[in-house]
Amino acid sequence: MPLARDAVLAVGLLRKALATRRARIDLRRMLAERGPLPQNRFRIAVYFADGPVNMYQMRQWYAPLRELAREWPVMVISRAIRGADALLRDDALPVAYAPAVRDVEQVLDEQDVRIVFYVNQNTRNFQMFRYGRRWHVFINHGESDKMYMTTNQFKAYDYAFIAGDAARARLSRTLWDYDLDRRTFAIGRPQADHYSGALPYTPDERRVVLYAPTWEGDRPSAHYGSIVTHGEALVSALLATGRHRVVYRPHPRSGVVNPAYGAANARIVAALAAANAADPAAQHVHDTAPDLGWQLAAADLAVVDISAMVYDRLAAGKPLLITRPVDPEALVDDTGYLAACEWLDAADSGDIVERADRVLDDPAAVERLDHWVRHYFGDTASGSSTRRFHDAVRVLMERWDDRNSSSVG
């Protein structure tokens, strides 16, 4: 067994090395073809020290940052070979590849960067914090009630852009001697103003249910996945009605730890295909695309596990059910939305139609949802979060001007 594990590890390291080598070659080629970035153009930089595994943290910000760049040009400072390669391939924002500290310094010498955004807590962020005369701002890559959202690392940044009152309450409970009023800006969820992607079906009278389970997890405290416990029963019940359309979006890691999850996932996919073959007008969807947008906006109801999807859907301001974990060791935060959400127990999965109708049509359920949407994200009317995002940036630009004038004087 040890020899087998060593062999698997060696193969994994070799593949990673080959992928890095290919990325280095491609990166050099793309940078040479693009040429140098124009000097003294960019006022905002997004600092990204990660590789491709965390590209989702950047990609969800592309649309809001492109919108912001109409007023304040935005660039990305990338530190990792494969991360820079992925960013250049995406071609969403101008990218400066700065693998060494001296490269970062060169970028700052060439650009008048006044605000640096950070989408995660990578330890290499501290290499950027050394540079003053600019605001370092944590914008994060999502909203949730996880411990990550209250880490004392918030204090390392000059400012933080947070979603709303729920984030303020979490931070006020946890952080000592932290000036929330001065150092945070509540902007909601700007990504919700930029849902992307074309519908893969033709809308009709069917109610659309998004089922987006997470994977099974690698430890009991994170056993949130519902494919085995809830998934097959609820999908079967929805397929049987003839008045629902299922959009099934499983986590790409489903089944990597527990083969039963992979097998159940395969059965659900087969059931969707069989239902479409029997009734082509049903247009059920097995969604494996990397981008998340239209799914949240188009579904009448979302059924999700405890994951970031809870808060992504909540930001859309539309009804959702959350699957209750079967494993008693799974950790469930009971201080926020999960203390008052609409739960779906495994035993009730076969009754999903009745549960869905109640959540969609019950005025009390709609009122509760509205309360929690406002608590987490504030006003979710179209364009509202984008305006707050831009307003926060303008305030920081004004503060930069004030500080710079004082220093010069």
Side-chain angles (χ1 to χ4, degrees):
M1 289 296 291
L3 289 176
R5 285 196 297 268
D6 290 346
V8 171
L9 178 61
V11 171
L13 291 173
L14 177 60
R15 287 176 176 171
K16 184 176 180 179
L18 291 174
T20 300
R21 182 175 182 273
R22 287 194 298 269
R24 181 183 289 111
I25 294 171
D26 291 342
L27 179 60
R28 289 173 177 169
R29 174 182 55 77
M30 287 187 286
L31 288 172
E33 291 175 352
R34 185 200 64 186
L37 294 172
Q39 295 190 17
N40 198 35
R41 170 171 173 73
F42 300 101
R43 299 295 179 265
I44 296 174
V46 185
Y47 182 85
F48 188 67
D50 283 78
V53 69
N54 284 330
M55 276 298 296
Y56 73 95
Q57 298 171 347
M58 277 296 308
R59 287 177 175 133
Q60 64 179 260
W61 276 105
Y62 281 166
L65 290 170
R66 284 197 298 262
E67 182 77 16
L68 181 66
R70 296 181 181 182
E71 182 173 3
W72 305 102
V74 179
M75 67 182 302
V76 181
I77 299 175
S78 179
R79 302 295 307 280
I81 292 173
R82 295 178 65 192
D85 179 66
L87 287 161
L88 284 166
R89 290 179 184 280
D90 286 352
D91 195 26
L93 294 165
V95 178
Y97 175 50
V101 171
R102 65 177 180 273
D103 301 311
V104 175
E105 292 178 347
Q106 181 178 346
V107 172
L108 296 179
D109 286 343
E110 294 176 350
Q111 304 297 337
D112 185 14
V113 174
R114 304 177 182 187
I115 295 176
V116 183
F117 286 146
Y118 301 82
V119 299
N120 60 29
Q121 301 282 20
N122 189 298
T123 55
R124 294 183 77 185
N125 290 0
F126 281 86
Q127 293 184 339
M128 191 69 182
F129 291 163
R130 67 191 294 182
Y131 302 107
R133 305 186 71 83
R134 51 191 51 84
W135 301 128
H136 298 271
V137 183
F138 184 49
I139 60 175
N140 214 334
H141 56 271
E143 165 67 353
S144 75
D145 289 306
K146 294 185 293 187
M147 184 180 69
Y148 178 87
M149 304 300 294
T150 56
T151 170
N152 207 53
Q153 291 167 299
F154 269 79
K155 293 179 181 176
Y157 304 88
D158 297 307
Y159 299 98
F161 289 177
I162 61 176
D165 290 342
R168 284 183 60 88
R170 283 194 303 267
L171 293 172
S172 65
R173 287 194 305 267
T174 308
L175 301 187
W176 293 352
D177 197 25
Y178 184 71
D179 190 344
L180 278 165
D181 292 333
R182 171 76 180 172
R183 298 180 63 182
T184 65
F185 293 82
I187 65 170
R189 181 78 169 154
Q191 292 88 337
D193 290 329
H194 300 278
Y195 288 135
S196 61
L199 293 181
Y201 58 84
T202 302
D204 53 22
E205 72 283 356
R206 292 174 184 256
R207 278 186 160 173
V208 178
V209 178
L210 168 65
Y211 175 43
T214 191
W215 66 305
E216 58 269 28
D218 57 1
R219 56 197 181 280
S221 62
H223 284 174
Y224 300 129
S226 68
I227 293 178
V228 167
T229 56
H230 299 64
E232 289 187 86
L234 74 87
V235 170
S236 295
L238 290 169
L239 294 180
T241 68
R243 60 184 181 90
H244 291 89
R245 174 169 293 117
V246 176
V247 176
Y248 178 52
R249 184 181 173 85
H251 193 286
R253 287 178 60 82
S254 297
V256 298
V257 172
N258 186 343
Y261 278 76
N265 173 62
R267 289 192 294 270
I268 291 174
V269 172
L272 294 173
N276 282 335
D279 179 10
Q283 301 180 80
H284 302 294
V285 180
H286 174 212
D287 176 34
T288 59
D291 296 330
L292 180 65
W294 64 266
Q295 303 91 333
L296 297 169
D300 297 297
L301 175 71
V303 182
V304 300
D305 300 341
I306 295 176
S307 67
M309 284 294 294
V310 171
Y311 304 92
D312 288 338
R313 174 63 176 188
L314 200 62
K318 302 182 72 174
L320 71 161
L321 283 167
I322 302 175
T323 61
R324 192 189 300 276
V326 171
D327 191 331
E329 294 189 46
L331 297 179
V332 179
D333 182 278
D334 60 358
T335 61
Y337 175 60
L338 296 184
C341 68
E342 303 287 346
W343 288 105
L344 178 66
D345 292 320
D348 297 328
S349 298
D351 298 324
I352 181 64
V353 175
E354 179 183 344
R355 296 297 307 281
D357 289 345
R358 185 187 65 78
V359 170
L360 289 166
D361 301 328
D362 179 19
V366 173
E367 184 177 351
R368 284 194 299 272
L369 177 68
D370 289 344
H371 163 76
W372 287 104
V373 169
R374 291 193 302 272
H375 182 59
Y376 276 83
F377 300 102
D379 182 7
T380 57
S382 179
S384 176
S385 289
T386 294
R387 286 192 295 273
R388 280 175 280 164
F389 179 37
H390 290 202
D391 288 345
V393 170
R394 291 188 191 102
V395 169
L396 293 188
M397 288 296 186
E398 291 169 0
R399 290 182 184 177
W400 188 96
D401 287 335
D402 291 342
R403 288 284 185 179
N404 190 56
S405 298
S406 299
S407 299
V408 174

